[in-house]
Amino acid sequence: MAKRDLINITDLYLDELDRMLSLASDIIDAPEKYQDKCARKTLATLFYEPSTRTRLSFESAMYGLGGNVVGFSDANSSSASKGETISDTTRVIECFADIIAMRHPKEGAALVAANSCEIPVINAGDGGHLHPSQTLTDLLTILRNKGRLTDLKIGFCGDLKFGRTVHSLILAMLRYAGIEVVLISPDELKLPSYNKDAMDDAGVKWVETTSLEDALPDLDVLYMTRVQKERFFNEEDYVRLKDTYILDEQKLESAKEDLVIMHPLPRVNEIAVEVDKDPRAKYFDQVKNGRYVRMALILMLLGIEGGLH
């Protein structure tokens, strides 16, 4: 079987997405069945950019499967600080590992890595571009809370320009019937045109607004995002925009009782701490789901459980 990578969520066929989510749910229900599936297998985590949830969830996922982990969490502690290319680093790492999870601040870096080695590569976030393993986490969270991935009205709020989690999730949701999208952002942080074109091509209804309050009452899912300081060249612009949207209990009074509130984390000020106690808040459940869906991803990319055709 030819090796498979996960660089873009569209690398997976719809039936593969569904099988992966089903496998992740089974791992949640019966984790003991999978505790030795990756014995004597090694995951390399190559993180050129800071991360808490993604890196630790990949590592926890591999340990939960009985495997091993090598890698680095800071490019300055790797040979990248000496000028080594991504291609060379990847070719070295494949001598020690069976699969790679890579985060990099530059768009397209994971694709370069995938084209340079013979083991599976997972894009764990490339700049402001894509974050497909987070998308799997998000899909699993929606599915387990709503019972479906069809016929949903989803609002994306905050930084839609640089929000790679938003870009990836929109591309995934295009495949499901009855999806409507509401884009909530300031003019400076609107969704890139390629995502809008993809929605148009798929026949998905979408609207743009600057008002969270106006959009909330009709939403089935609200996906909040932070304004990402690290993506701004001008700190004055960041300061001006960072508190544009703050979700609190008062705003939620107009929302549906079964609304699912999501956030890829970390948050800054965009969700008030008081919302954490609201039963509609599911962003910490997302973190838990991230471990299980990455376990499923590792198993399928390695061809251990089902495999990807």
Side-chain angles (χ1 to χ4, degrees):
M1 183 181 70
K3 79 135 176 171
R4 291 286 298 274
D5 307 296
L6 182 62
I7 307 303
N8 188 327
I9 195 64
T10 57
D11 293 339
L12 299 175
Y13 296 109
L14 183 58
D15 70 306
E16 292 174 334
L17 268 178
D18 292 340
R19 283 197 291 121
M20 196 169 295
L21 296 176
S22 178
L23 176 58
S25 290
D26 193 56
I27 295 172
I28 291 172
D29 296 336
E32 67 281 355
K33 288 167 47 179
Y34 301 90
Q35 61 187 4
D36 296 316
K37 291 284 188 178
C38 282
R40 295 175 296 281
K41 297 290 185 181
T42 300
L43 165 73
T45 53
L46 311 185
F47 277 66
Y48 293 79
E49 191 177 49
S51 170
T52 300
R53 276 149 299 279
T54 302
R55 181 175 62 84
L56 293 181
S57 68
F58 267 114
E59 293 181 359
S60 177
M62 194 55 163
Y63 287 133
L65 295 168
N68 301 304
V69 178
V70 298
F72 54 82
S73 59
D74 183 352
N76 291 326
S77 65
S78 76
S79 290
S81 64
K82 303 175 184 177
E84 185 173 62
T85 65
I86 291 171
S87 178
D88 282 0
T89 296
T90 310
R91 292 187 67 182
V92 168
I93 294 298
E94 72 174 326
C95 298
F96 313 133
D98 301 286
I99 187 168
I100 291 172
M102 177 178 172
R103 170 167 289 186
H104 201 283
K106 292 184 179 179
E107 289 82 356
L111 181 59
V112 172
N115 289 337
S116 303
C117 70
E118 300 300 320
I119 63 174
V121 173
I122 301 167
N123 178 8
D126 60 338
H129 190 213
L130 297 167
H131 196 347
S133 69
Q134 178 64 45
T135 301
L136 293 171
T137 298
D138 298 338
L139 291 173
L140 182 62
T141 302
I142 295 171
L143 181 61
R144 289 184 70 84
N145 283 281
K146 301 300 289 186
R148 66 188 191 279
L149 291 171
T150 58
D151 303 308
L152 295 168
K153 192 166 192 174
I154 306 177
F156 294 92
C157 181
D159 181 358
L160 309 189
K161 180 178 181 179
F162 299 112
R164 58 193 173 197
T165 61
V166 171
H167 305 165
S168 287
L169 183 54
I170 286 176
L171 291 177
M173 295 306 301
L174 298 182
R175 303 178 177 196
Y176 296 95
I179 299 299
E180 296 183 45
V181 173
V182 182
L183 305 170
I184 310 158
S185 71
D187 290 338
E188 296 92 335
L189 296 175
K190 285 186 175 181
L191 190 75
S193 58
Y194 81 88
N195 269 121
K196 296 175 183 176
D197 292 342
M199 287 191 287
D200 287 336
D201 291 344
V204 170
K205 295 180 181 178
W206 62 272
V207 296
E208 288 182 311
T209 180
T210 58
S211 174
L212 174 59
E213 290 86 346
D214 290 347
L216 257 177
D218 297 325
L219 298 180
D220 299 302
V221 177
L222 173 61
Y223 197 97
M224 296 292 296
T225 66
R226 70 183 172 96
V227 176
Q228 302 177 74
K229 184 177 182 179
E230 64 269 28
R231 308 293 177 210
F232 279 79
F233 296 106
N234 186 327
E235 187 166 353
E236 290 181 1
D237 289 339
Y238 167 72
V239 171
R240 177 170 55 84
L241 294 169
K242 67 184 180 69
D243 292 330
T244 303
Y245 302 105
I246 299 177
L247 183 68
D248 55 28
E249 279 297 314
Q250 183 177 354
K251 291 186 178 72
L252 283 170
E253 289 177 1
S254 65
K256 293 181 178 180
E257 292 185 3
D258 63 346
L259 173 70
V260 174
I261 304 168
M262 300 172 64
H263 192 306
L265 301 178
R267 66 172 162 186
V268 184
N269 297 319
E270 59 278 0
I271 299 180
V273 175
E274 65 188 42
V275 176
D276 296 355
K277 297 179 181 179
D278 192 305
R280 294 170 289 187
K282 302 298 180 182
Y283 30 90
F284 291 113
D285 289 344
Q286 273 176 273
V287 177
K288 293 179 183 178
N289 289 335
R291 177 176 187 257
Y292 298 112
V293 84
R294 288 179 174 106
M295 290 172 75
L297 174 61
I298 290 168
L299 287 171
M300 292 183 71
L301 285 177
L302 289 176
I304 293 172
E305 195 73 26
L308 299 176
H309 54 62

